[in-house]
């Protein structure tokens, strides 16, 4: 039995100092512009201790600021105002080490610069939402202490929830604001949310207009989802060893290395080296520069403890092998929403979209020769637009993605990752405000994804245009939160979605019956809390053998059933030729739903609880009755 450690006294000292300084700032005793950072306690009072061993590695930023309202200074990192994290091995539970807790706020506190239109961050900003996270490397079982800094208290570990809830970690109450969580070692690591009951709030739809608007006011409104106002993510990542370390951490024999100096980085387009290596520290590119790397660069490495404010565009199809690795952070916080390089990095002006010219956190181009990308470990924070794109031949750019994280996705169009033909991804976390898992290509596998979904787009998407897709497997997807709230029936929402055509979403004649989507397997999807709808498939391609197994939805939100309806529609081409759907033989050659449950109750054709106004909310077209099946194989 592991001993429960004594809480380190410097944490209480730091908290009291924070309160005193905040009160002084509120009375106006600090100069203008310093009040938001004034709550930071003197660093000498903290006595920070970090770990640096093969068993445990944590890191820290002395140049942090506590700030919940405005952008950080160029050379500073936003520290969480709401949580502290410390880690100890189970072999030495009293010897705890600080793990820096980062924080993201909507628009990074910039507001709307150069535009007034909606950008997707309206609700998050008005509701004062934040996202904190802490990352460490480990190779043994550990205890993780999470301390709530708000003054709110708990009296039982039952008031703290870990999500995904399938992670049945042991919890201990240290005191009224600290919980201790036992995280067993896993070579896959764990990415999970720690949720204190006093921090929970509920988002509501105010039922106005066509779609409604999100609000925190319950009066006369419909509940959408309950989540922490200030979220806290833990990223427990495995220590790299052996061949994996050789593959993912550059050394002199890996190629010539450029080490940027801390501070302003605006010269990466001129370097001659093959590898860009960011050591621990803070770097900033500014709001009007992103690194358009020269042809010789093949690898960007962000060491644990590196915090880089910027973005990278890799050279056009010049390398066979690319790498972006390391447990550091790449943050888009300095860019405005839709930062348009064709408009001096100002907000998009005079065009409907800037898919070609807006800053993306990571951008590549693919040629007809086969290329490969290793993307591992990195945390992307506050993308100002799509976080990852590849332009060119989408069949020749294979990816291996592992232990990747995306946080602070406040804006619309902050998608997850599109995986190209022959790619695989595992052990990731996505906070996204658009399509999360984009399944547009063949021979793709995804496993063990934790998702915190904001309002826009679905969780899994394979539509928008007719496609040829074959052999896709997505397994073990954990949707721990979502704010999908529309009361009208959108084309691009739900857990699973194949959207209508992006050029004319209301048209039913944009399909191509000669294109085929087939042999897609979605297995073990768990949706925690309330959600809006299960699936909407507007088939733009002929479709067969879509197997959905073990889709578990906790509950529907409080909207009417006609807002939660699932669709399965066959679309046609302009000549009115409809796409083909497989039939229900062999338990569902079209769309097969095996062990689909809502609130733990199986939804099946035989039980007649599948219809649009019944438990399953399956409002599938009558003409496709023979093209889908729902059954339970549970004992």
């Amino acid at each position: 039995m592991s001993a429960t450690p004594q809480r380190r006294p410097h944490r209480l000292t730091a908290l009291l100092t924070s309160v005193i300084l905040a009160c002084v700032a509120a009375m106006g005793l600090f100069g203008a512009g310093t009040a938001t950072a004034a709550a930071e306690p003197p660093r000498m009072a903290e006595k920070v201790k970090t770990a640096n061993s093969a068993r445990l590695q944590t890191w820290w930023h002395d140049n942090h600021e506590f700030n919940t309202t405005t952008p950080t200074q160029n050379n500073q990192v936003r520290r969480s105002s709401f949580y502290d994290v410390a880690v100890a091995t189970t072999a030495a539970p009293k010897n705890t080490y600080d793990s820096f807790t980062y924080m993201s706020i909507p628009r990074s506190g910039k507001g709307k610069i150069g535009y007034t239109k909606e950008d997707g961050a309206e609700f998050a900003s008005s509701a004062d939402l934040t996202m904190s996270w802490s990352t460490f490397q480990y190779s043994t079982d550990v205890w993780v202490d999470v301390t709530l800094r708000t003054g709110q208290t708990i009296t039982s570990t039952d008031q703290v929830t870990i999500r995904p809830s399938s992670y049945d970690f042991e919890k201990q109450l240290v005191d009224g604001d600290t919980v201790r969580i036992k995280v067993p070692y896993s070579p896959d690591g764990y990415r999970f949310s720690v949720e204190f009951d006093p921090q929970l709030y509920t988002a509501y739809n105010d039922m106005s207009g066509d779609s409604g608007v999100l609000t925190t006011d319950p009066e006369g409104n419909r509940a959408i989802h309950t989540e922490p106002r200030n979220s806290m993510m833990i990223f427990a990542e495995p220590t790299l060893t052996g061949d994996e370390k050789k593959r993912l951490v550059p050394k002199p024999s890996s190629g010539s290395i450029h080490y940027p100096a801390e501070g302003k980085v605006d010269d990466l387009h001129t370097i001659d080296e093959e590898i860009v290596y960011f050591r621990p520290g803070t770097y900033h590119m500014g709001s009007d520069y992103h690194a358009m790397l020269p042809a010789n660069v093949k690898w960007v490495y962000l060491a644990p403890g590196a915090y880089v404010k910027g973005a990278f565009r890799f050279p056009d199809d010049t390398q066979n092998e690319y790498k972006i690795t390391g447990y550091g952070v790449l943050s888009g916080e300095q860019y405005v929403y839709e930062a348009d390089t064709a408009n001096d990095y100002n907000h998009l002006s005079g065009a409907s979209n800037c898919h070609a010219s807006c800053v993306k956190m990571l951008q590549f181009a693919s040629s007809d020769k086969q290329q490969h990308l290793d993307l591992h470990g990195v945390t992307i924070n506050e993308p100002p637009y799509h976080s990852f794109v590849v332009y060119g031949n989408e069949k020749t750019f294979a990816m291996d993605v592992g232990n990747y994280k995306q946080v602070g996705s406040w804006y619309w169009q902050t998608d997850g990752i599109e995986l190209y033909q022959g790619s695989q991804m595992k052990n990731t976390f996505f906070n996204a405000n658009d399509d999360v898992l984009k399944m547009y290509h063949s021979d793709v596998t995804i496993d063990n994804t934790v998702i915190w979904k904001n309002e826009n787009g679905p969780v899994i998407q394979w539509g928008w245009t007719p496609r040829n897709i074959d052999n896709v497997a997505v397994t073990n997807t954990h949707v721990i939160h979502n704010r999908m709230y529309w009361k009208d029936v959108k084309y691009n929402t739900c857990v699973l979605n194949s959207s209508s055509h992006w050029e004319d979403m209301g048209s039913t004649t944009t399909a191509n019956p000669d294109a085929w989507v087939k042999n897609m397997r979605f297995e073990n999807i768990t949706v925690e809390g309330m959600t809006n709808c299960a699936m909407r498939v507007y088939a733009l391609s002929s479709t067969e053998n879509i197997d959905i197994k073990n889709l578990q939805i906790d509950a529907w939100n409080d909207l009417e059933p006609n807002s939660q309806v699932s669709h399965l529609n066959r679309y046609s081409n302009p000549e009115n030729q409809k796409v083909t759907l497989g039939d229900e033989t062999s338990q569902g050659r079209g769309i097969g739903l095996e062990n689909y449950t809502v609130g733990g109750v199986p939804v099946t054709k035989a039980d007649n609880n599948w219809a649009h106004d019944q438990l399953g909310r399956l409002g599938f077209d009558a003409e496709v009755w023979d093209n889908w099946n729902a059954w339970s194989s549970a004992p």
Side-chain angles (χ1 to χ4, degrees):
M1 180 174 178
S2 299
T4 302
Q6 296 295 315
R7 189 164 179 237
R8 291 157 57 190
H10 80 260
R11 293 186 181 280
L12 181 59
T13 301
L15 181 59
L16 290 173
T17 308
S18 296
V19 173
I20 293 169
L21 288 173
C23 293
V24 172
M27 291 186 289
L29 301 182
F30 287 105
T34 63
T36 56
E40 180 179 354
R43 290 170 191 156
M44 68 181 67
E46 288 202 277
K47 300 179 182 177
V48 171
K49 182 173 70 170
T50 57
N52 187 19
S53 71
R55 295 167 66 83
L56 178 65
Q57 183 181 5
T58 67
W59 48 91
W60 194 260
H61 296 275
D62 285 332
N63 58 323
H64 62 259
E65 63 177 71
F66 291 99
N67 178 342
T68 62
T69 58
T70 63
T72 60
Q73 299 298 309
N74 285 334
N75 63 345
Q76 292 186 309
V77 178
R78 193 185 311 276
R79 179 177 167 188
S80 178
S81 300
F82 302 100
Y83 301 98
D84 283 331
V85 174
V87 189
T89 66
T90 57
K94 294 185 178 181
N95 197 6
T96 60
Y97 298 91
D98 296 285
S99 181
F100 190 85
T101 308
Y102 302 87
M103 188 174 73
S104 171
I105 65 175
R107 303 188 188 100
S108 200
K110 294 187 296 293
K112 296 182 179 181
I113 299 177
Y115 67 98
T116 58
K117 69 177 186 180
E118 289 186 321
D119 59 11
E122 282 77 15
F123 174 73
S125 179
S126 66
D128 295 323
L129 305 187
T130 70
M131 177 164 279
S132 298
W133 76 96
S134 191
T135 306
F136 59 86
Q137 293 186 86
Y138 74 131
S139 62
T140 185
D141 296 357
V142 294
W143 289 104
V144 178
D145 290 356
V146 180
T147 298
L148 186 60
R149 298 171 50 92
T150 62
Q152 297 165 314
T153 60
I154 56 174
T155 58
S156 167
T157 58
D158 293 338
Q159 294 174 278
V160 179
T161 300
I162 306 298
R163 297 188 192 276
S165 56
S166 58
Y167 294 174
D168 190 22
F169 296 154
E170 180 184 344
K171 296 177 293 184
Q172 297 178 359
L173 187 66
V174 177
D175 56 27
D177 56 15
T178 300
V179 65
R180 165 159 273 213
I181 304 159
K182 186 176 184 179
V183 182
Y185 173 71
S186 167
D188 296 331
Y190 291 100
R191 289 141 294 277
F192 60 93
S193 172
V194 180
E195 305 177 5
F196 291 78
D197 281 1
Q199 275 292 305
L200 298 180
Y201 83 101
T202 299
Y204 298 86
N205 187 316
D206 72 0
M207 306 303 287
S208 63
D210 292 334
S211 302
V213 174
L214 280 178
T215 177
T216 58
D217 181 8
E219 186 65 30
N221 300 318
R222 303 291 185 90
I224 295 299
H225 189 76
T226 299
E227 62 185 355
R229 189 179 302 273
N230 302 291
S231 58
M232 178 68 239
M233 298 300 305
I234 298 294
F235 302 142
E237 298 291 6
T239 300
L240 300 175
T241 58
D243 290 342
E244 193 171 44
K245 184 176 181 179
K246 293 178 183 177
R247 178 172 63 89
L248 298 174
V249 181
K251 52 188 180 298
S253 60
S254 303
S256 54
I257 302 178
H258 175 76
Y259 297 97
E262 277 197 79
K264 185 69 175 289
V265 178
D266 59 1
D267 61 349
L268 292 182
H269 58 289
T270 67
I271 65 175
D272 297 322
E273 293 85 357
E274 298 170 287
I275 302 168
V276 183
Y277 190 122
F278 289 92
R279 296 184 173 106
T282 306
Y283 308 80
H284 61 94
M285 296 185 187
S287 62
D288 59 355
Y289 175 88
H290 77 303
M292 302 184 69
L293 299 169
N296 42 282
V297 174
K298 63 181 181 181
W299 193 344
V300 172
Y301 177 74
L302 288 80
Y307 193 90
V308 181
K309 302 176 184 181
F312 298 104
R313 177 175 172 176
F314 278 75
D316 292 348
D317 57 55
T318 55
Q319 299 283 348
N320 294 329
E321 298 282 338
Y322 291 106
K323 294 185 181 184
I324 305 172
T325 63
Y327 287 130
V329 178
L330 178 64
S331 177
E333 65 191 69
Q334 295 191 313
Y335 301 115
V336 299
Y337 172 56
E338 294 183 328
D340 188 358
T341 59
N343 188 33
D344 297 324
Y345 289 81
N346 295 307
H347 176 74
L348 170 69
S349 175
S352 60
N353 69 72
C354 58
H355 191 266
S357 56
C358 271
V359 171
K360 292 88 178 173
M361 300 300 292
L362 299 170
Q363 179 175 335
F364 294 85
S366 177
S367 68
D368 291 337
K369 66 182 179 182
Q370 184 63 51
Q371 296 171 283
H372 182 266
L373 168 67
D374 240 334
L375 175 56
H376 184 277
V378 175
T379 299
I380 300 292
N381 175 46
E382 294 185 28
Y385 193 64
H386 301 318
S387 59
F388 181 96
V389 296
V390 177
Y391 296 119
N393 190 336
E394 296 179 341
K395 294 184 178 180
T396 59
F397 197 91
M399 303 156 56
D400 282 310
V401 183
N403 303 76
Y404 174 96
K405 285 85 62 179
Q406 181 173 308
V407 298
S409 297
W410 309 110
Y411 296 124
W412 287 331
Q413 297 144 324
T414 48
D415 302 49
I417 284 184
E418 178 178 348
L419 292 174
Y420 298 88
Q421 185 165 319
S423 297
Q424 61 181 354
M425 181 168 75
K426 61 181 181 178
N427 308 328
T428 58
F429 170 79
F430 288 95
N431 170 233
N433 201 3
D434 216 318
D435 306 354
V436 186
L437 303 180
K438 302 191 282 188
M439 313 309 303
Y440 303 156
H441 305 284
S442 298
D443 304 319
V444 168
T445 61
I446 297 177
D447 183 54
N448 193 23
T449 312
V450 178
I451 294 171
W452 191 309
K453 183 75 182 61
N454 293 355
E455 297 96 311
N456 198 38
V459 176
I460 298 171
Q461 173 69 264
W462 68 90
W464 293 119
T465 190
R467 303 179 186 277
N468 287 294
I469 308 173
D470 188 8
N471 188 29
V472 165
V474 181
T475 54
N476 301 311
T477 304
H478 314 273
V479 184
I480 60 172
H481 289 293
N482 78 86
R483 290 197 300 274
M484 297 183 287
Y485 70 94
W486 325 99
K487 71 183 177 76
D488 55 341
V489 179
K490 301 293 187 186
Y491 292 102
N492 61 320
T493 187
C494 303
V495 180
L496 296 125
N497 181 241
S498 181
S499 177
S500 56
H501 203 288
W502 64 273
E503 290 183 311
D504 187 353
M505 295 184 69
S507 174
T508 62
T509 60
T510 50
N512 178 6
D514 294 326
W516 278 90
V517 172
K518 56 185 179 180
N519 302 320
M520 300 181 77
R521 177 169 61 93
F522 304 102
E523 187 169 344
N524 300 335
I525 304 173
T526 302
V527 184
E528 301 197 33
M530 295 188 292
T531 194
N532 62 334
C533 53
M535 66 198 76
R536 289 183 187 152
V537 177
Y538 306 101
L540 299 173
S541 309
S542 293
T543 301
E544 70 173 9
N545 205 22
I546 309 300
D547 294 325
I548 302 167
K549 183 176 182 179
N550 301 334
L551 169 59
Q552 302 174 46
I553 291 176
D554 273 1
W556 304 119
N557 61 29
D558 283 352
L559 296 177
E560 297 296 329
N562 58 7
S563 299
Q564 301 159 342
V565 65
S566 290
H567 283 167
L568 174 58
N569 300 144
R570 290 196 303 150
Y571 278 13
S572 66
N573 62 14
E575 290 73 39
N576 209 31
Q577 297 169 314
K578 287 196 172 185
V579 301
T580 300
L581 290 181
D583 60 35
E584 69 167 349
T585 59
S586 301
Q587 296 284 40
R589 290 287 297 169
I591 303 287
L593 287 161
E594 181 180 359
N595 301 332
Y596 165 40
T597 63
V598 178
V601 179
V603 174
T604 72
K605 264 189 173 181
D607 289 332
N608 205 30
N609 62 351
W610 53 269
H612 72 281
D613 57 351
Q614 300 295 320
L615 182 68
R617 302 291 200 270
L618 302 180
F620 293 172
D621 274 5
E623 71 161 8
V624 302
W625 175 257
D626 293 329
N627 307 116
W628 67 275
N629 199 6
W631 72 98
S632 175
S633 61

